[in-house]
Each structure stands twice: as structure tokens, then as C-alpha cells.
Amino acid sequence: MFTGYSPSDIVIVVLSLLFSVGVHEAVHAYVAHSLGDDTAAQEGRLTLNPLKHIDLYMTVLLPAVLILFHLPPIFVAKPVPFDPLRVRFGEYGAALVALGGPFSNLALAAVAAFLINFGVIPEAAQHAAVIFIQLNISLFVFNMLPIPPLDGSRLLYAFAPEPIQKIMYQIESMGLLLVVFIILVLSQFIGPVLSSIGQTIFNFLL
């Protein structure tokens, strides 16, 4: 979806990203708090303020550069801290905390598409709205990958047998840089799949 973007479009991407990441991470914190864990709240992450959630390099510069070079964008924010042992329902509660983030992005895309479809957004602003929708769909699709420590892996944790969980914990300990490395190396294989899924959702919404 992210093809043919001009420098001005990149500005729209960055502004949309700041807002969308703020919502994404705030929903993580809110779900964790509602399930009994106030770790994120104590660290000031129960907020829509994007400045509390972004990392300048990983959240803003990395995806902007990848889009300019026509590579699949990778959107990474500072993870919201939470204690799975304090969340109700165990691994299932942890999965709910994780899924709250990407599904908030899907909801943002759906709302923006609804406003376009019903003519609420002026034609002059529709191009920016489309970029906003594309970005939030990408956030949803990317974060739902079942690769630790991405959000989708928590859903796999909840249902995977213990041997698989142990392997996933080992992968998660390597951090997000491993995820970035894997996706960049395998971008020619993963990129078309992610783009196809994202385009299908985009076509459905609009």
C-alpha cells in the first residue's frame, strides 16, 4: 500500500503515526489496568500522549526511511510494561492486553473509512485520511504477526503447548531488533504477504 509517497505524504504518515501509536499503547495500558495490573499506569503510560510511547528512531525514522525506499514499513513503539502474573485470566488475560493495541488500530481505520464512505470528511482531506487508514491497517497487520515480542505472539502463547512457549520465550528475550532483522532479511517473502492482507482489509473498508 505504501507506494508513490511524496515527502509531504511522509509528513502525514509521521503525524498519523504519532496519534495512532499513542492510541495503540494507551489501549494496551488500559486493558492491563482493567484486568488488575497497574504497572503501566504507575509508569505514566496510561495516556494518549504519544510522547510517552514513541521512540524517535524505531517509531518515526525507521518506518519513514523504509517507506521512502519502497520497503515494508516497520512500526515499533516503546512496549507498554505489564506483569502477566498480575493480570487476571493468566495467559488469556495477557493475550487480551496484547490484542487491544492492534485492534485499536483496526478500529481507527474502520472509523476513518466510515467517515469517508458517508461523506463526512471533505474531499480535500480524504487523501490524508486514506494515508491514515493505510497506516493503521499496517500497524494492525504487522503487530498481529505471531513473532515474539509482537502482540500477535501473545495470542499464540495463550494456546501453544509448553514446549512451544519455551521456544517463544527464548526468541522474545532477543528483543525487537531480531524481529526487525528477520523482516528486513525476509522482506521479499513477507512483504508481499503483509501487503496483500493489508490491501484486502483496505478494499473491504473502502
Side-chain angles (χ1 to χ4, degrees), residues 18-96:
L18 290 174
F19 173 75
S20 302
V21 164
V23 173
H24 178 112
E25 299 301 333
V27 170
H28 278 318
Y30 175 78
V31 175
H33 191 266
S34 66
L35 290 176
D37 177 29
D38 62 351
T39 304
Q42 290 180 356
E43 296 193 15
R45 300 296 298 278
L46 191 60
T47 175
L48 290 172
N49 180 1
L51 298 180
K52 294 287 187 178
H53 304 300
I54 66 169
D55 177 272
L56 175 61
Y57 299 103
M58 299 296 287
T59 312
V60 179
L61 295 181
L62 177 62
V65 169
L66 291 175
I67 290 172
L68 284 174
F69 283 92
H70 306 292
L71 293 171
I74 296 173
F75 305 101
V76 180
K78 289 190 294 186
V80 166
F82 84 100
D83 185 351
L85 298 179
R86 298 177 63 186
V87 174
R88 288 193 293 273
F89 313 123
E91 289 288 354
Y92 301 105
L96 290 175

Side-chain angles (χ1 to χ4, degrees), residues 112-154:
F114 175 85
L115 296 177
I116 290 178
N117 290 331
F118 285 87
V120 178
I121 296 179
E123 186 174 347
Q126 287 187 7
H127 177 67
V130 167
I131 292 176
F132 178 82
I133 293 169
Q134 291 175 324
L135 180 131
N136 275 282
I137 291 174
S138 293
L139 283 170
F140 170 74
V141 173
F142 174 71
N143 281 286
M144 285 303 295
L145 288 173
I147 304 174
L150 297 179
D151 296 329
S153 68
R154 280 291 170 184

